[in-house]
Amino acid sequence: MTPDLIYGAAGLAVFGIGLWGAIALQDRMRRLLGLKLCSVGAGFVLIVGAWREPPAAPDPVPHALVITGIVVMLSATAAALALIRRLHDLEAADDRA
Amino acid sequence: MSEPLFLFDLLLALAVVAIAAAALLVRDAFAMIVLFVVFGLLSALAWVRLAAPDVALAEAAIGTGLTGALLLKTLHHLRARGMAGWEPGAAAPRPVPRAVASLNAGLTLAVVAGLGVAILGSPLRVTGLEIAVAEAMPLSGVDNPVTAVLLNFRAYDTLMEVVVLLAAIIVVWQVERGADAAPAPSLGPIWQGFARLTLPAAAIVGVYLLWAGAEAPGGAFQGGAMLAAIGLMLLLTGLYRPHPDHRATARLLFVLGTVAFAAVALLVAGAGRASFEYPQGHAKTLILLIEGLVTISIAVTLTALFHGREPAALKGELRHDP
Amino acid sequence: MISMVAMVLIGAGALFFLAGTIGLLRFPDLHCQLHALTKADGLGLTLIGLGAALLAGSVGDIARIALICAFAALSGATCGHLIARHARRGDAEGRDV
Amino acid sequence: MTGPDWLTLSIMLPLFGAVAAFILPRAAAGLGLATVAATTLCVLMMADRVAAFGAVTVPLGGWGAPLGIELRADGLSVAMLALTGMVGLLVSVSAIDAFAGDRTARQRHYFWPLWLLLLSGLNGVYLGTDLFNLYVMIEIIALAAVGLTVLGGTREALRAGLDYVYASILGALLFLLGVGLIYLQLGRLDFAGVIAAPPSAAMTAALAVMFVGLALKTALFPLHVWLPAAHANAAAPASALLSGLVVKGALYIVLRLAGYMPALTEDILTLIGLMGAGAVIWGGIQALRADRLKLLVAWSTVAQIGLIFVALARAGERGLSDSWKAAALLILAHGIAKAAMFLAAGRIKDEVGHDRIRDLDRSPIRPTLAQVTFALAAINLIGLPPSLGFIGKWQLMEGAMMAGYWHWVAITMIGTLFSVAYFSRVLAGFLRFDRVRGGPLAEHHGWSGADAAPLILAGAAVLLGLAAGPIIAFIDLGAGGAMP
């Protein structure tokens, strides 16, 4: 058992948990969190693909890809959260009315 | 020596998976966010173990730190407006039918199991692009391979990544037009003192990360995230209050990185060079120029994403301003 | 000899962390939990920092470790204060209502 | 590399335009229209180059694949770019009218930057040859499209937008996971490397995950649930862009990958065809039940996307040998006609004041030109000669018949019958005058210059069918299965 196998399995598991959360949960923020877990899981897969037996240096390309993925996911999260906040305001206003 | 490390890896991987599940299952929304932050930090630790310190830094700062801040801000907003289900201990939302729930779980499990089997059945550890990267490194202008990939070999991707951030802030401003902010939490004098002590240090670390990115882990995104943390503290301490008059400047700062990056990419073309092909000997200068400007844009954009709504001329806000 | 001392320091630090975590899990209310967590973790981190500093190769590394410990202590104290403050105000509001 | 780099320019120009429109909101409309026109000009120059020399490749950064990223324009890419340019230009023209006035100033200020970013992302997808780069591009498209969906700011639009965000992010992440799995096996992500890969179980798994992600983004049945509300609740120009162009981005990636994948087995093709057939039937039924005009048009998008997948899976001897051409023709036809139809539906709603199908024939106002536009677009989507949609369906059925796949021919016929049925619900209302109560009839015709752009689009979709031969020859340029 080498680290890449252990963390590869963990990454797939995290992706699966996130996938379940995104499709099965109802709460808006929780579904978003599920998606974030998916992105971390996919990151695990890429980083595991970059890992090499210790004396050898890892492959830098997937690392760069994952950094890009992290920033992209943050952007999407920020947009989704803005929608959640706005929608909540509108619904709260409707409830009061 | 590898035995304790193996144990460590196993425990860490188990913890990552368990906390991921716990974050989704815990009832209280605040606990959910805290567990998510713990999950992100542990993932970053795992990525350090997988020899990816650059990614670990980015995940800790952006993927966990700033995402956590965004989630907390949203939770504060929702709770300030009062919503059933958001107070701790409130009734759970209407339950999902058992059949649907088990169908979802079964589907997910089947997908993941299929993927796992397919991966196990495939040749692993194929040589990637590390040899090509190593050969091209002397021409790249920097010494950190990840930075070389991000700002030279795959600079086009990175430009588009900055564009994604720009798209996000445009969407956020558009969605939250004219929205009222939830009343800011008052954090007290101790917090103000802490902010005063840490702000300069955070600024130094941010610039250092940007600078170090050329040869060591770090770079524009990590540095930008660090500087954005300063922006968050400025907003939370009230040292900086967004004002409608600042909108034009903010827009300019949002687009600065995109414009500089794209302009350099187009202007270096010609004389037999393609777009994004830096002239020989100028690669380092151009990369540092791009990184510097992109860092400013990233820091400002991330701060604005946290602030959310566009600073519009609202009655309440004008009254607060001196 | 130095590495032995370092090991002992790091081990002691880990023990304090353990104690703090047990406190977090077992103490009845938030203020007690904070009491356990902030003090035990502050001490634990300092001990581990000391141990790591003994193992460190250069003055620069030692300086960095010292800085990390200082900032961790600072932010730990501030966080503890903020949590306690928030909890107290929450209680007060609860009583008012 | 000789002459200007039209490929990079066609991605960068909209980017600069978006930035300019964002900084100078007051001048956004003029800047936006000029940018779209300039970009379309770029695409025309590129088309000229491709027609003369075949496929054009630009190695960005001078590194070349697989280390760097390459842009590549061949017949199919240029056809998609031209579709985007043409539809984009005419939608832009009608957007100037739709967002004129003070009441929509705010929408106008944000429409242009978002639409130009969307254009940049779409052009990037059509020129990209790197899987990860495609991921970044579809995220740009997703964010810009979400912004366009919620432009109106109503609660329904925001709800639909949020569902769209979830679907979009999940689709992109599934795609990203597939990209990761492919890198795990091949160590490279450029198209050339992916095509050369030997088929294996793991490759199939990776491609399957990517396909599911893309199917979610392009709203293939049963992953379509987010689409109708999102497209029906957006402002008219935004709906036209979303339905005419945005879903085509993911569809194009499927088409590209499917065309190059030797690993696709008979079972997978059948499954894709079945999903498409499900979409044709379910979308048809829902379009028949829809009570609002825009909702009907949105459901017809679901049905027609399904038909495109049927074409992709099943129009030819070996499934894929020639079927991608039928699918490409259907994509072009649907892109033009659906944009025209949403614009027309928006015009009808603006003039009449509502878009309830039952009451459309009771209005004293008759938006004649918009109704003609709607009818022309319907001709195209139903597939009557000589429209481009007819040629696409003909190709599909001819291929399927020659290969003896009668059941797929039957599906196509059923889809056609459905489309006749649901469009008739609307068209019948246009032709009836007798149910107006109170007031003189047909005094106000309710048409204006704003009807010109959609009418041109709908007319083009019909007339382009006459030029089907050259179009088919053009999309074949530089294809031949072989990448450089």
Side-chain angles (χ1 to χ4, degrees), chain A residues 67, chain B residues 54 57 144 147 150-151 205-214 216-226 291 295 298:
Chain A
I67 291 178
Chain B
D54 294 82
L57 260 177
N144 177 7
T147 304
L150 276 174
L151 281 139
V205 173
V207 176
Y208 168 78
L209 274 176
L210 165 67
W211 184 255
F221 292 103
Q222 295 88 341
M226 199 65 214
E291 274 205 306
T295 304
I298 291 173

mmCIF file of all heavy atoms in Angstrom, chain A residues 67, chain B residues 54 57 144 147 150-151 205-214 216-226 291 295 298:
data_model
loop_
_atom_site.group_PDB
_atom_site.id
_atom_site.type_symbol
_atom_site.label_atom_id
_atom_site.label_comp_id
_atom_site.label_asym_id
_atom_site.label_seq_id
_atom_site.Cartn_x
_atom_site.Cartn_y
_atom_site.Cartn_z
ATOM 1 N N ILE A 67 -4.875 23.602 -8.939
ATOM 2 C CA ILE A 67 -4.947 24.988 -8.459
ATOM 3 C C ILE A 67 -5.998 25.752 -9.266
ATOM 4 O O ILE A 67 -6.849 26.462 -8.718
ATOM 5 C CB ILE A 67 -3.568 25.666 -8.567
ATOM 6 C CG1 ILE A 67 -2.615 25.041 -7.553
ATOM 7 C CG2 ILE A 67 -3.690 27.164 -8.309
ATOM 8 C CD1 ILE A 67 -1.218 25.593 -7.600
ATOM 9 N N ASP B 54 2.248 23.268 -3.359
ATOM 10 C CA ASP B 54 1.578 24.421 -3.979
ATOM 11 C C ASP B 54 0.067 24.278 -3.890
ATOM 12 O O ASP B 54 -0.646 25.215 -3.539
ATOM 13 C CB ASP B 54 1.950 24.519 -5.463
ATOM 14 C CG ASP B 54 3.404 24.822 -5.654
ATOM 15 O OD1 ASP B 54 4.211 23.878 -5.593
ATOM 16 O OD2 ASP B 54 3.738 25.989 -5.844
ATOM 17 N N LEU B 57 -1.270 24.663 -0.353
ATOM 18 C CA LEU B 57 -1.386 26.081 0.021
ATOM 19 C C LEU B 57 -2.650 26.691 -0.579
ATOM 20 O O LEU B 57 -3.403 27.398 0.096
ATOM 21 C CB LEU B 57 -0.179 26.842 -0.523
ATOM 22 C CG LEU B 57 0.966 27.157 0.428
ATOM 23 C CD1 LEU B 57 2.083 27.856 -0.321
ATOM 24 C CD2 LEU B 57 0.471 28.038 1.552
ATOM 25 N N ASN B 144 10.171 27.265 -10.346
ATOM 26 C CA ASN B 144 9.161 26.388 -9.753
ATOM 27 C C ASN B 144 8.326 25.787 -10.877
ATOM 28 O O ASN B 144 7.647 26.510 -11.605
ATOM 29 C CB ASN B 144 8.283 27.204 -8.800
ATOM 30 C CG ASN B 144 7.166 26.379 -8.195
ATOM 31 O OD1 ASN B 144 7.121 25.162 -8.378
ATOM 32 N ND2 ASN B 144 6.270 27.031 -7.488
ATOM 33 N N THR B 147 4.661 26.875 -11.176
ATOM 34 C CA THR B 147 4.505 28.223 -11.717
ATOM 35 C C THR B 147 4.787 28.241 -13.210
ATOM 36 O O THR B 147 4.114 28.945 -13.973
ATOM 37 C CB THR B 147 5.452 29.197 -10.987
ATOM 38 O OG1 THR B 147 5.188 29.119 -9.592
ATOM 39 C CG2 THR B 147 5.234 30.615 -11.458
ATOM 40 N N LEU B 150 1.728 26.990 -14.883
ATOM 41 C CA LEU B 150 0.599 27.913 -14.777
ATOM 42 C C LEU B 150 0.788 29.148 -15.635
ATOM 43 O O LEU B 150 -0.153 29.636 -16.247
ATOM 44 C CB LEU B 150 0.407 28.346 -13.319
ATOM 45 C CG LEU B 150 -0.408 27.429 -12.433
ATOM 46 C CD1 LEU B 150 -0.376 27.929 -11.004
ATOM 47 C CD2 LEU B 150 -1.843 27.351 -12.905
ATOM 48 N N LEU B 151 1.998 29.686 -15.678
ATOM 49 C CA LEU B 151 2.166 30.981 -16.330
ATOM 50 C C LEU B 151 2.918 30.922 -17.636
ATOM 51 O O LEU B 151 3.095 31.936 -18.298
ATOM 52 C CB LEU B 151 2.834 31.965 -15.373
ATOM 53 C CG LEU B 151 1.768 32.461 -14.419
ATOM 54 C CD1 LEU B 151 2.263 32.567 -13.025
ATOM 55 C CD2 LEU B 151 1.182 33.760 -14.920
ATOM 56 N N VAL B 205 3.407 38.475 4.239
ATOM 57 C CA VAL B 205 3.330 37.077 3.808
ATOM 58 C C VAL B 205 2.753 36.983 2.400
ATOM 59 O O VAL B 205 3.238 36.217 1.562
ATOM 60 C CB VAL B 205 2.481 36.260 4.805
ATOM 61 C CG1 VAL B 205 2.251 34.854 4.281
ATOM 62 C CG2 VAL B 205 3.164 36.215 6.152
ATOM 63 N N GLY B 206 1.732 37.768 2.108
ATOM 64 C CA GLY B 206 1.116 37.730 0.789
ATOM 65 C C GLY B 206 2.113 38.077 -0.301
ATOM 66 O O GLY B 206 2.253 37.346 -1.297
ATOM 67 N N VAL B 207 2.823 39.163 -0.119
ATOM 68 C CA VAL B 207 3.792 39.575 -1.135
ATOM 69 C C VAL B 207 4.915 38.543 -1.229
ATOM 70 O O VAL B 207 5.392 38.210 -2.318
ATOM 71 C CB VAL B 207 4.343 40.972 -0.804
ATOM 72 C CG1 VAL B 207 5.411 41.365 -1.798
ATOM 73 C CG2 VAL B 207 3.215 41.980 -0.817
ATOM 74 N N TYR B 208 5.298 37.990 -0.074
ATOM 75 C CA TYR B 208 6.351 36.978 -0.081
ATOM 76 C C TYR B 208 5.919 35.754 -0.882
ATOM 77 O O TYR B 208 6.686 35.226 -1.695
ATOM 78 C CB TYR B 208 6.707 36.584 1.357
ATOM 79 C CG TYR B 208 7.571 35.342 1.425
ATOM 80 C CD1 TYR B 208 8.940 35.409 1.150
ATOM 81 C CD2 TYR B 208 7.014 34.107 1.738
ATOM 82 C CE1 TYR B 208 9.718 34.276 1.187
ATOM 83 C CE2 TYR B 208 7.792 32.967 1.770
ATOM 84 C CZ TYR B 208 9.142 33.052 1.495
ATOM 85 O OH TYR B 208 9.915 31.929 1.519
ATOM 86 N N LEU B 209 4.664 35.327 -0.681
ATOM 87 C CA LEU B 209 4.168 34.148 -1.402
ATOM 88 C C LEU B 209 4.209 34.382 -2.902
ATOM 89 O O LEU B 209 4.602 33.511 -3.681
ATOM 90 C CB LEU B 209 2.737 33.838 -0.979
ATOM 91 C CG LEU B 209 2.563 32.972 0.251
ATOM 92 C CD1 LEU B 209 1.098 32.844 0.596
ATOM 93 C CD2 LEU B 209 3.181 31.600 0.026
ATOM 94 N N LEU B 210 3.806 35.583 -3.313
ATOM 95 C CA LEU B 210 3.826 35.912 -4.730
ATOM 96 C C LEU B 210 5.247 35.837 -5.266
ATOM 97 O O LEU B 210 5.522 35.249 -6.307
ATOM 98 C CB LEU B 210 3.255 37.321 -4.923
ATOM 99 C CG LEU B 210 3.521 37.966 -6.272
ATOM 100 C CD1 LEU B 210 2.774 37.211 -7.342
ATOM 101 C CD2 LEU B 210 3.097 39.414 -6.244
ATOM 102 N N TRP B 211 6.165 36.452 -4.506
ATOM 103 C CA TRP B 211 7.544 36.521 -4.947
ATOM 104 C C TRP B 211 8.195 35.140 -4.956
ATOM 105 O O TRP B 211 8.878 34.762 -5.900
ATOM 106 C CB TRP B 211 8.315 37.483 -4.035
ATOM 107 C CG TRP B 211 9.722 37.683 -4.468
ATOM 108 C CD1 TRP B 211 10.839 37.157 -3.899
ATOM 109 C CD2 TRP B 211 10.157 38.438 -5.585
ATOM 110 N NE1 TRP B 211 11.945 37.544 -4.591
ATOM 111 C CE2 TRP B 211 11.557 38.338 -5.640
ATOM 112 C CE3 TRP B 211 9.486 39.202 -6.557
ATOM 113 C CZ2 TRP B 211 12.320 38.963 -6.621
ATOM 114 C CZ3 TRP B 211 10.255 39.822 -7.531
ATOM 115 C CH2 TRP B 211 11.648 39.692 -7.554
ATOM 116 N N ALA B 212 7.929 34.374 -3.896
ATOM 117 C CA ALA B 212 8.566 33.059 -3.775
ATOM 118 C C ALA B 212 8.071 32.096 -4.833
ATOM 119 O O ALA B 212 8.755 31.133 -5.170
ATOM 120 C CB ALA B 212 8.303 32.483 -2.384
ATOM 121 N N GLY B 213 6.884 32.375 -5.390
ATOM 122 C CA GLY B 213 6.294 31.463 -6.355
ATOM 123 C C GLY B 213 7.195 31.160 -7.526
ATOM 124 O O GLY B 213 7.050 30.126 -8.182
ATOM 125 N N ALA B 214 8.139 32.040 -7.817
ATOM 126 C CA ALA B 214 9.025 31.817 -8.956
ATOM 127 C C ALA B 214 9.910 30.598 -8.730
ATOM 128 O O ALA B 214 10.219 29.876 -9.669
ATOM 129 C CB ALA B 214 9.873 33.056 -9.207
ATOM 130 N N ALA B 216 9.813 28.638 -5.341
ATOM 131 C CA ALA B 216 9.350 27.755 -4.283
ATOM 132 C C ALA B 216 7.819 27.720 -4.332
ATOM 133 O O ALA B 216 7.221 28.472 -5.077
ATOM 134 C CB ALA B 216 9.835 28.283 -2.924
ATOM 135 N N PRO B 217 7.188 26.822 -3.539
ATOM 136 C CA PRO B 217 5.734 26.802 -3.524
ATOM 137 C C PRO B 217 5.150 28.182 -3.228
ATOM 138 O O PRO B 217 5.638 28.897 -2.363
ATOM 139 C CB PRO B 217 5.407 25.830 -2.393
ATOM 140 C CG PRO B 217 6.557 24.905 -2.373
ATOM 141 C CD PRO B 217 7.750 25.713 -2.773
ATOM 142 N N GLY B 218 4.126 28.552 -3.954
ATOM 143 C CA GLY B 218 3.509 29.872 -3.809
ATOM 144 C C GLY B 218 3.177 30.387 -5.175
ATOM 145 O O GLY B 218 3.261 29.667 -6.158
ATOM 146 N N GLY B 219 2.797 31.646 -5.256
ATOM 147 C CA GLY B 219 2.478 32.221 -6.554
ATOM 148 C C GLY B 219 1.327 33.189 -6.461
ATOM 149 O O GLY B 219 0.912 33.577 -5.359
ATOM 150 N N ALA B 220 0.814 33.565 -7.628
ATOM 151 C CA ALA B 220 -0.180 34.631 -7.688
ATOM 152 C C ALA B 220 -1.432 34.276 -6.906
ATOM 153 O O ALA B 220 -1.986 35.108 -6.189
ATOM 154 C CB ALA B 220 -0.540 34.919 -9.137
ATOM 155 N N PHE B 221 -1.902 33.026 -7.019
ATOM 156 C CA PHE B 221 -3.180 32.688 -6.405
ATOM 157 C C PHE B 221 -3.063 32.613 -4.895
ATOM 158 O O PHE B 221 -3.914 33.127 -4.175
ATOM 159 C CB PHE B 221 -3.707 31.388 -6.995
ATOM 160 C CG PHE B 221 -4.084 31.557 -8.424
ATOM 161 C CD1 PHE B 221 -3.263 31.100 -9.438
ATOM 162 C CD2 PHE B 221 -5.231 32.242 -8.763
ATOM 163 C CE1 PHE B 221 -3.597 31.287 -10.752
ATOM 164 C CE2 PHE B 221 -5.569 32.445 -10.082
ATOM 165 C CZ PHE B 221 -4.744 31.966 -11.085
ATOM 166 N N GLN B 222 -1.977 31.976 -4.425
ATOM 167 C CA GLN B 222 -1.814 31.897 -2.981
ATOM 168 C C GLN B 222 -1.565 33.279 -2.389
ATOM 169 O O GLN B 222 -2.129 33.647 -1.361
ATOM 170 C CB GLN B 222 -0.650 30.957 -2.635
ATOM 171 C CG GLN B 222 -0.890 29.518 -3.027
ATOM 172 C CD GLN B 222 -0.455 29.196 -4.445
ATOM 173 O OE1 GLN B 222 -0.285 30.091 -5.276
ATOM 174 N NE2 GLN B 222 -0.273 27.918 -4.749
ATOM 175 N N GLY B 223 -0.692 34.072 -3.063
ATOM 176 C CA GLY B 223 -0.430 35.424 -2.590
ATOM 177 C C GLY B 223 -1.686 36.271 -2.619
ATOM 178 O O GLY B 223 -1.970 37.009 -1.668
ATOM 179 N N GLY B 224 -2.451 36.149 -3.703
ATOM 180 C CA GLY B 224 -3.689 36.913 -3.818
ATOM 181 C C GLY B 224 -4.664 36.551 -2.710
ATOM 182 O O GLY B 224 -5.323 37.424 -2.136
ATOM 183 N N ALA B 225 -4.737 35.256 -2.379
ATOM 184 C CA ALA B 225 -5.646 34.828 -1.316
ATOM 185 C C ALA B 225 -5.228 35.424 0.017
ATOM 186 O O ALA B 225 -6.066 35.864 0.814
ATOM 187 C CB ALA B 225 -5.677 33.307 -1.231
ATOM 188 N N MET B 226 -3.913 35.459 0.251
ATOM 189 C CA MET B 226 -3.402 36.031 1.507
ATOM 190 C C MET B 226 -3.779 37.510 1.589
ATOM 191 O O MET B 226 -4.245 37.995 2.629
ATOM 192 C CB MET B 226 -1.883 35.860 1.504
ATOM 193 C CG MET B 226 -1.239 35.965 2.842
ATOM 194 S SD MET B 226 -1.749 34.630 3.903
ATOM 195 C CE MET B 226 -1.722 35.536 5.443
ATOM 196 N N GLU B 291 2.078 38.222 -13.054
ATOM 197 C CA GLU B 291 1.723 37.709 -11.729
ATOM 198 C C GLU B 291 1.388 38.839 -10.773
ATOM 199 O O GLU B 291 0.439 38.747 -10.001
ATOM 200 C CB GLU B 291 2.866 36.872 -11.170
ATOM 201 C CG GLU B 291 2.820 35.431 -11.607
ATOM 202 C CD GLU B 291 3.538 34.540 -10.622
ATOM 203 O OE1 GLU B 291 4.724 34.801 -10.320
ATOM 204 O OE2 GLU B 291 2.919 33.589 -10.137
ATOM 205 N N THR B 295 -2.208 39.209 -9.219
ATOM 206 C CA THR B 295 -2.375 39.091 -7.767
ATOM 207 C C THR B 295 -3.261 40.206 -7.230
ATOM 208 O O THR B 295 -4.147 39.960 -6.401
ATOM 209 C CB THR B 295 -1.007 39.149 -7.072
ATOM 210 O OG1 THR B 295 -0.182 38.141 -7.623
ATOM 211 C CG2 THR B 295 -1.143 38.940 -5.597
ATOM 212 N N ILE B 298 -6.789 39.410 -8.190
ATOM 213 C CA ILE B 298 -7.320 38.287 -7.416
ATOM 214 C C ILE B 298 -7.688 38.749 -6.016
ATOM 215 O O ILE B 298 -8.779 38.459 -5.506
ATOM 216 C CB ILE B 298 -6.297 37.140 -7.353
ATOM 217 C CG1 ILE B 298 -6.129 36.507 -8.733
ATOM 218 C CG2 ILE B 298 -6.729 36.083 -6.354
ATOM 219 C CD1 ILE B 298 -5.024 35.502 -8.787
#
